[in-house]
Amino acid sequence: GNEWLVATTGTSSYTVTFINYDGSIISTQTVPKGHAAVAPDDPVKPDSNGYTYEFVEWCYNFDNVTCNMTIAPVFEPIYIGE
């Protein structure tokens, strides 16, 4: 009989999960290897203890995805007083 050899090159896509400051999931995406994930809307962190929080950036670059990733926001605390 005929035998077929199937070559596999590993994973062709990865899961990228964007989480908020509290660990809640904002977005989960399946991204082809080497492609970019799409950032969700900027997350919001509520004011607390006299500070407001401004979204600065996501903690990792996701322009060329080559592994499963969990990406958290980076916030800048801004003192607004008690």
Side-chain angles (χ1 to χ4, degrees), residues 5 11 19-20 38 45 49 55 57 61 63 67 69 77 79:
L5 177 63
T11 303
I19 61 172
N20 206 343
V38 178
K45 182 175 181 177
N49 299 323
F55 174 74
E57 64 185 352
N61 182 308
D63 289 339
C67 62
M69 303 175 75
Y79 184 71

Side-chain angles (χ1 to χ4, degrees), residues 26-57:
I26 299 171
S27 171
T28 300
Q29 303 169 24
T30 300
V31 180
K33 182 178 182 178
H35 288 77
V38 178
D41 292 339
D42 291 351
V44 175
K45 182 175 181 177
D47 297 352
S48 67
N49 299 323
Y51 287 87
T52 188
Y53 297 91
E54 182 177 311
F55 174 74
V56 177
E57 64 185 352

